[in-house]
Amino acid sequence: MRRTRPVHLILLLTALLCPRLGEASPQTAAPAQSASPMPKVRLLATGGTISNRAGGRLSAEELIRSMPGLERYARPKFEQFANVASSQLTLKQWLDLARRINGLFKDDPDLSGIVVTSGTDTLEETAYFLDLTVKSDKPVVVVGSMRNPSTLGYEGAANLLDGFRVAAEPASRGKGVLVVLNDEINSAREVTKTDALRLHTFQSRDYGVLGVVDADRVVYYRAPVTRHTKESEFDVSSIEELPRVDVVLVYQGATGDIIKAMVDQGAKGIVIASAGAGATSGTQGEGMQYAAAKGVFVVTSTRTGSGRIASRRPSAMASATPQLRIAAEDLAPVKARILLMLALTRTKDGAEIQRMFTQY
Ligand code: ASP
């Protein structure tokens, strides 16, 4: 029979006698696999349903305490970045969040990863923004929940523990910003909230999950190949304000005056959530011409939920200002908006912006 090595015995006793946080049950106080210190993982809590307890939102500290057995995987640190619904986060807060994450990784080489809690409604937008602006290949994991802490079957603590495990996992490095809910790991670029209420709402449609978080280990099956995080050219360290970019939905008989109003209100870019592979409706074409006459970029994406808008579309080539017409490739309209905002912080050259849409 295999004998227990003394180092394992010491770790077992330490885990049993000194649980760092909350009540460690006998099942959760299992020993670590090696004598090296637990990975340090920091939580930045921003709010959302995961902390939306009736009678008062959970704080970052309470979220940490909600996870029995966390000490098996990580040395947690935490901070309250915000405590609001995801859709209430401002673009200024996005910039601050990216800068805070970059600062934490820079100042603390010992930090293994960061977990960000977020409401689920616009979680994929925040996650993709971070995917393009975090300057580290260490994992940043965005986590939320569909049920609040006062609801039977609250899955927030389980999702958060999964998020900590993914952030502490060395194999998570270099995979861009990750979204973890429902025991699944998705790429921030690919994932979308697909259902208003169901727990399995976050899906990467054609692409599928990057991996899963199982009881025994974090498992990866693939990695994204698009540019992100450390390979990204975007730098928000000194940006005070992102340029205004609006999204326009195509629907039967839609009017182009809304596009004109956006341009008049200062939009520097418009993303069209087109029908199918680029079609607009009603008088939207006139609105797009108005935008072009004012030097405003128009990015065509699709409202279908998946699929690609090719960069050499005949309609763009036929346009009088093809350099202002960009194809979103396979980016969802809300993500195309984020990439266009960041692209416009670097260039006004349409060919350059199109290059970015083929790379990120
Ligand atoms: N309204 C919430 C939010 O996005 C929804 C959620 O967290 O699931 O903040």
Side-chain angles (χ1 to χ4, degrees):
M1 210 176 80
R2 232 178 117 228
R3 292 182 53 198
T4 310
R5 289 168 56 199
V7 66
H8 287 166
L9 271 178
I10 291 165
L11 283 166
L12 176 62
L13 281 171
T14 311
L16 282 170
L17 295 174
C18 317
R20 274 194 189 81
L21 290 158
E23 290 293 302
S25 69
Q27 298 96 309
T28 59
Q33 294 303 306
S34 82
S36 58
M38 283 287 167
K40 193 199 285 182
V41 176
R42 190 174 188 93
L43 167 68
L44 271 66
T46 77
T49 294
I50 191 166
S51 44
N52 203 4
R53 180 184 50 191
R57 289 175 182 269
L58 292 180
S59 66
E61 182 169 8
E62 287 171 313
L63 283 170
I64 292 286
R65 293 193 181 283
S66 73
M67 292 177 281
L70 174 61
E71 68 280 358
R72 291 171 64 199
Y73 305 106
R75 280 181 291 149
K77 303 279 168 194
F78 58 87
E79 68 185 68
Q80 194 76 52
F81 179 84
N83 210 344
V84 296
S86 59
S87 55
Q88 297 305 309
L89 279 176
T90 64
L91 299 187
K92 171 81 171 61
Q93 283 175 304
W94 270 6
L95 291 166
D96 289 342
L97 183 60
R99 284 193 277 259
R100 178 70 184 142
I101 290 171
N102 287 332
L104 285 166
F105 281 136
K106 193 161 170 257
D107 296 344
D108 186 359
D110 204 25
L111 188 61
S112 296
I114 291 179
V115 174
V116 177
T117 51
S118 165
T120 58
D121 291 343
T122 60
L123 182 152
E124 71 213 60
E125 295 176 55
T126 303
Y128 185 53
F129 178 75
L130 296 177
D131 197 48
L132 297 176
T133 54
V134 166
K135 294 280 174 210
S136 170
D137 64 358
K138 289 183 178 177
V140 173
V141 183
V142 188
V143 172
S145 75
M146 293 301 288
R147 292 178 177 155
N148 71 52
S150 310
T151 309
L152 197 60
Y154 170 62
E155 87 286 21
N159 288 347
L160 194 53
L161 185 60
D162 282 353
F164 267 81
R165 290 179 59 195
V166 171
E169 167 59 51
S172 301
R173 287 180 78 131
K175 293 194 168 59
V177 172
L178 304 166
V179 173
V180 172
L181 285 94
N182 213 29
D183 299 338
E184 293 174 339
I185 309 167
N186 283 282
S187 157
R189 182 188 186 278
E190 296 163 355
V191 77
T192 297
K193 186 174 183 180
T194 63
D195 190 291
L197 293 173
R198 303 280 81 84
L199 266 56
H200 61 271
T201 181
F202 281 92
Q203 303 289 326
S204 291
R205 294 201 163 117
D206 287 350
Y207 308 117
V209 298
L210 300 181
V212 292
V213 190
D214 281 344
D216 60 330
R217 67 185 177 98
V218 172
V219 188
Y220 280 102
Y221 298 109
R222 64 184 189 89
V225 294
T226 49
R227 282 176 76 175
H228 54 71
T229 55
K230 222 176 148 193
E231 306 304 322
S232 168
E233 67 203 88
F234 304 115
D235 179 2
V236 295
S237 57
S238 56
I239 291 176
E240 284 309 312
E241 198 180 359
L242 291 163
R244 174 169 169 169
V245 173
D246 291 310
V247 179
V248 175
L249 184 66
V250 173
Y251 47 87
Q252 209 67 17
T255 57
D257 50 8
I258 292 167
I259 299 173
K260 290 182 188 169
M262 289 169 171
V263 171
D264 291 344
Q265 289 300 311
K268 300 288 181 277
I270 308 258
V271 175
I272 307 285
S274 75
T280 57
S281 186
T283 56
Q284 286 180 317
E286 289 168 28
M288 287 162 72
Q289 278 167 20
Y290 183 83
K294 301 274 180 179
V296 171
F297 286 93
V298 175
V299 172
T300 300
S301 62
T302 178
R303 69 177 200 187
T304 55
S306 61
R308 174 171 171 260
I309 304 291
S311 57
R312 293 190 69 78
R313 286 166 305 117
S315 60
M317 295 306 113
S319 146
T321 50
Q323 73 281 3
L324 292 170
R325 300 287 303 277
I326 312 292
E329 293 281 337
D330 62 337
L331 277 183
V334 290
K335 290 183 184 172
R337 173 195 178 236
I338 292 166
L339 182 53
L340 183 57
M341 284 193 295
L342 287 168
L344 290 171
T345 65
R346 294 198 66 87
T347 182
K348 303 287 178 283
D349 178 340
E352 262 295 276
I353 295 176
Q354 187 62 72
R355 171 191 62 77
M356 292 169 181
F357 272 86
T358 60
Q359 293 184 344
Y360 291 91

